[in-house]
Amino acid sequence: MLPTIQLNDRLLVDKLPGLAHSIHRGDIIVFHKVPADTAAPPILVKRVIGLPGETISSKGDVVYIDGRAIKEPWLAAMDSTETCAQSAFNIPTTHISAGRYFVMGDCRGDSYDSRDWGTVPQSNIIGRAVVVIWRHGHPWFHWF
């Protein structure tokens, strides 16, 4: 999730019941990794791009949901370094099953995410990141 979330950031996470009904595109979620992800730590943080029941695809740097290009304002602030330059790669047309979410990291060129290991089941979601409260060893507040 670099650069949005830095290594060792401390996050406040909304874990209230009924969370799944309030997850929207663009939200940052914290979740237990899916079984197909054999390389990652047990808990991950990624941005929700596709919601249950939608069809996702991409062409170049543009992500399409149900055939319509989506706006991704969180990428506008991205540094266009070589590792983050490619935003979407090619996502084959994929239907997102009920109760599952398609997630991607903000540094798309260097992110291991739903493009690699598939969608995240609702049951794996711990909560939604609300605010960074600690960065670089000091209090620091950034709301999502």
Side-chain angles (χ1 to χ4, degrees), residues 29-34 37 40-46 124 126-127:
I29 61 170
V30 178
F31 59 97
H32 297 283
K33 73 177 188 173
V34 298
D37 183 0
I43 296 178
L44 298 171
V45 179
K46 301 286 180 189
N124 285 38
I126 296 167

Side-chain angles (χ1 to χ4, degrees), residues 48-66:
V48 174
I49 304 299
L51 302 170
E54 295 180 334
T55 299
I56 189 168
S57 63
S58 73
K59 188 172 187 179
D61 291 346
V62 180
V63 175
Y64 296 89
I65 298 292
D66 296 331

Side-chain angles (χ1 to χ4, degrees), residues 7-85:
L7 296 174
N8 299 315
D9 276 358
R10 300 296 182 252
L11 305 173
L12 181 62
V13 177
D14 176 1
K15 295 168 52 172
L16 294 173
L19 171 72
H21 301 293
S22 63
I23 294 177
H24 304 286
R25 187 176 347 280
D27 285 350
I28 296 172
I29 61 170
V30 178
F31 59 97
H32 297 283
K33 73 177 188 173
V34 298
D37 183 0
T38 58
I43 296 178
L44 298 171
V45 179
K46 301 286 180 189
R47 191 176 298 274
V48 174
I49 304 299
L51 302 170
E54 295 180 334
T55 299
I56 189 168
S57 63
S58 73
K59 188 172 187 179
D61 291 346
V62 180
V63 175
Y64 296 89
I65 298 292
D66 296 331
R68 293 186 173 168
I70 63 168
K71 293 181 182 179
E72 297 185 273
W74 49 86
L75 295 180
M78 294 289 298
D79 179 2
S80 60
T81 62
E82 284 187 31
T83 55
C84 291

Side-chain angles (χ1 to χ4, degrees), residues 1 29 31-34 36-37 40 44-51 56 58 63 87-97 100-106 108 110-122 124-125:
M1 281 300 296
I29 61 170
F31 59 97
H32 297 283
K33 73 177 188 173
V34 298
D37 183 0
L44 298 171
V45 179
K46 301 286 180 189
R47 191 176 298 274
V48 174
I49 304 299
L51 302 170
I56 189 168
S58 73
V63 175
S87 64
F89 293 106
N90 287 320
I91 302 168
T93 301
T94 305
H95 179 74
I96 304 166
S97 301
R100 299 184 79 88
Y101 296 85
F102 194 97
V103 298
M104 295 169 71
D106 285 355
R108 305 275 170 85
D110 194 31
S111 180
Y112 191 56
D113 51 38
S114 286
R115 296 169 294 171
D116 302 296
W117 36 255
T119 55
V120 176
Q122 179 180 325
N124 285 38
I125 298 173

